[in-house]
Amino acid sequence: MQHDVALREAARAIYESVYPGEEWTPVPFDEAERFGTVHYRNAVDAALRADACLNGDATHQLLLI
């Protein structure tokens, strides 16, 4: 993930949107990434799925249906 800056930033945006700090105190994104928390892995999965949709990867798009 660290080699793909755009995908990492997408995962960060998803993580921070889904797990906002006002409602509960989540682990900061960098720490979640370091420890590979379930919330981090979910955000990465969402970023990968969004990337597949936005870039026309039909193979991955079928998984979303």
Side-chain angles (χ1 to χ4, degrees):
M1 178 66 71
Q2 294 171 347
H3 300 291
D4 190 335
V5 176
L7 190 59
R8 183 174 187 268
E9 288 308 308
R12 176 188 295 273
I14 292 167
Y15 181 88
E16 291 174 353
S17 293
V18 174
Y19 308 111
E22 299 87 46
E23 295 176 19
W24 60 285
T25 307
V27 175
F29 179 80
D30 294 328
E31 196 172 317
E33 180 180 36
R34 188 171 351 131
F35 293 114
T37 66
V38 67
H39 300 99
Y40 168 78
R41 293 191 311 267
N42 289 343
V44 169
D45 184 50
L48 289 169
R49 289 176 178 224
D51 182 58
C53 291
L54 295 171
N55 291 311
D57 184 347
T59 306
H60 287 95
Q61 283 182 358
L62 292 176
L63 297 174
L64 297 175
I65 297 174

